[in-house]
Amino acid sequence: MRVSWITEDKHTESVVEYGTKAGEYREKATGLHTSYQYFLYNSGKIHNVVIGPLQPGTTYFYRCGGSGPDFSFKTPPPKFPIEFVIVGDLGQTEWTASTLKHVDSNDYDVFLLPGDLSYADSQQPLWDSFGRLVEPYASKRPWMVTEGNHKIESFPIIYPQGFQAYNARWPMPFQQSGSTSNLYYSFEVTATHFIMLGSYTEFDAQSQQYTWLQSDLANIDRAKTPWVIVLLHAPWYNTNEAHQGEGESMRQAMEELLYEARVDLVFAGHVHAYERFTRIYDNKADSCGPMYVTIGDGGNREGLALMFKNPPSPLSLYREPSFGHGRLRILNETHAHWSWHRNNDADAVVADGVWIESLSSSKACSKTPDQQDAANEEL
């Protein structure tokens, strides 16, 4: 587990003490620190310490920098079931606070965020306030994130590359999956393989991200990780008037790779509404394609995307412009349950829900697309 925190005190050590009993820290790990400057803003000292190895399904108590406050977190379970919370476009509004409160009302194992965290948009103190807002939640469960458009923060000549604050504050384990960029990576947890793609870095067939994705998909062992799930920011399928077509070029470049690898689900943000599609490949319903979900309704300051296109597409099975969060509970190697919960409901009721069967367990989809075509020709 990586523990990240920021101090104004430049002399604080990058040290995390931890153990399985409150107040008893029998283990200690030392890490690295960094900082960055953005125009007149100077960040605090950003500490990053990787602790472990850790036992699964275990509560650990820890403190940072050699002194309090005390925190605790729980590691994911060693085997199914496991529950993931998925929230896009979080921001830091009253709606954000409502979303996080709803999330916290029921236990879960891992928090997944498909892009757009703080909505700082170059106002660097908003990164700090976002950290304070999410600390009670991000200190208790793993948060795995990918970038969104509001994280770019590029400026010609001075900061041409962008993502300076995002990369410094939210380092993800990209090197461990063979990626050369914090903007795309993969990881595995409890027999589930997650791929976090970057909508705002090169993704065409000649790009490093494309080559990396090819390799990452080829190395998945579906016997060990029967579920494969992708998160990205700009949706490839979208019937909302907002951000129409913005993920299209990435879809055209990468969709075939995901289809051939039998990816189970693709989660996106960016559009500030909720929408669930059927399984799709190349703009047609396909029982061997991924199920697409847009969940960009975490609570951003720009408001909801209220206008959906009419008539509705037969590919879109549920759509609603409300703030909320989603939960993916994987019960075993073959079945999972997806549910979406809107903030407006006082109680955590399921506004939309569906059972999902893993494609790795589907005999009809176990053939490669070429084998499927050959079988169809024989018929």
Side-chain angles (χ1 to χ4, degrees):
M1 191 80 79
R2 182 197 302 273
V3 182
S4 301
W5 76 101
I6 300 179
T7 60
E8 292 299 327
D9 183 359
K10 299 292 194 283
H11 301 292
T12 302
E13 287 188 272
S14 300
V15 170
V16 172
E17 300 164 284
Y18 62 100
T20 54
K21 291 185 178 180
E24 292 187 24
Y25 305 114
R26 298 188 175 181
E27 303 288 339
K28 182 179 179 180
T30 302
L32 304 172
H33 65 268
T34 187
S35 61
Y36 71 94
Q37 183 177 0
Y38 189 86
F39 292 101
L40 299 177
Y41 174 89
N42 291 289
S43 75
K45 187 176 182 179
I46 305 171
H47 308 265
N48 287 292
V49 179
V50 176
I51 65 174
L54 306 175
Q55 294 298 314
T58 303
T59 297
Y60 285 88
F61 300 87
Y62 66 103
R63 66 179 182 182
C64 305
S67 60
D70 298 319
F71 296 101
S72 69
F73 66 85
K74 183 183 173 188
T75 54
K79 56 185 179 180
F80 298 129
I82 183 171
E83 186 155 326
F84 301 92
V85 159
I86 306 172
V87 182
D89 299 69
L90 200 53
Q92 41 189 315
T93 66
E94 290 183 10
W95 284 114
T96 309
S98 173
T99 298
L100 292 172
K101 185 177 179 181
H102 275 71
V103 166
D104 208 40
S105 66
N106 283 303
D107 197 15
Y108 60 97
D109 299 296
V110 180
F111 192 107
L112 304 170
L113 205 162
D116 277 349
L117 288 76
S118 67
Y119 283 77
D121 291 313
S122 300
Q123 299 180 56
Q124 296 306 303
L126 290 179
W127 277 108
D128 296 313
S129 58
F130 180 76
R132 290 189 289 270
L133 174 67
V134 303
E135 181 181 285
Y137 312 95
S139 60
K140 293 194 297 186
R141 294 290 182 274
W143 276 42
M144 306 302 286
V145 307
T146 189
E147 88 275 10
N149 56 303
H150 287 273
K151 305 291 148 287
I152 301 174
E153 298 184 320
S154 61
F155 196 86
I157 302 175
I158 306 174
Y159 304 112
Q161 302 303 319
F163 298 108
Q164 186 180 14
Y166 173 79
N167 286 334
R169 293 171 182 268
W170 290 85
M172 293 289 119
F174 65 91
Q175 298 100 329
Q176 287 88 332
S177 61
S179 169
T180 57
S181 170
N182 192 47
L183 302 180
Y184 52 89
Y185 64 98
S186 68
F187 66 97
E188 290 182 357
V189 56
T190 316
T192 307
H193 188 89
F194 285 93
I195 300 172
M196 314 292 269
L197 294 180
S199 295
Y200 301 96
T201 186
E202 295 296 325
F203 48 70
D204 59 62
Q206 286 72 47
S207 68
Q208 288 184 331
Q209 182 176 198
Y210 185 96
T211 302
W212 168 83
L213 177 60
Q214 276 185 310
S215 174
D216 189 78
L217 290 168
N219 289 327
I220 299 172
D221 183 349
R222 295 302 279 267
K224 292 181 178 178
T225 51
W227 293 91
V228 179
I229 298 168
V230 169
L231 276 78
L232 47 82
H233 190 58
W236 293 357
Y237 291 97
N238 169 31
T239 71
N240 198 291
E241 296 284 0
H243 303 301
Q244 190 57 228
E246 289 183 20
E248 179 62 13
S249 55
M250 190 180 192
R251 182 193 72 79
Q252 291 184 7
M254 291 182 160
E255 185 181 25
E256 186 176 359
L257 295 181
L258 270 56
Y259 179 70
E260 291 181 351
R262 297 299 186 243
V263 168
D264 292 290
L265 290 141
V266 177
F267 291 100
H270 201 38
V271 176
H272 302 157
Y274 170 70
E275 184 166 21
R276 173 172 61 85
F277 292 86
T278 188
R279 291 190 176 280
I280 304 174
Y281 176 58
D282 195 22
N283 283 294
K284 294 183 287 290
D286 191 312
S287 59
C288 296
M291 184 181 103
Y292 287 84
V293 177
T294 301
I295 185 108
D297 56 348
N300 66 88
R301 59 177 166 74
E302 297 174 333
L304 291 164
L306 298 171
M307 302 299 293
F308 281 99
K309 299 176 75 173
N310 280 310
S313 165
L315 301 175
S316 178
L317 302 183
Y318 189 102
R319 55 188 195 172
E320 182 178 325
S322 295
F323 290 118
H325 77 279
R327 288 176 179 262
L328 179 68
R329 183 169 181 80
I330 302 181
L331 275 77
N332 51 40
E333 288 77 10
T334 60
H335 286 83
H337 186 261
W338 165 254
S339 59
W340 175 69
H341 310 253
R342 67 170 79 85
N343 287 3
N344 294 4
D345 297 324
D347 300 315
V349 299
V350 177
D352 178 43
V354 62
W355 284 96
I356 306 160
E357 186 176 351
S358 65
L359 294 181
S360 65
S361 67
S362 168
K363 291 182 179 179
C365 299
S366 61
K367 300 183 179 73
T368 66
D370 289 340
Q371 290 172 326
Q372 193 70 52
D373 290 342
N376 291 339
E377 286 174 11
E378 289 175 12
L379 292 171

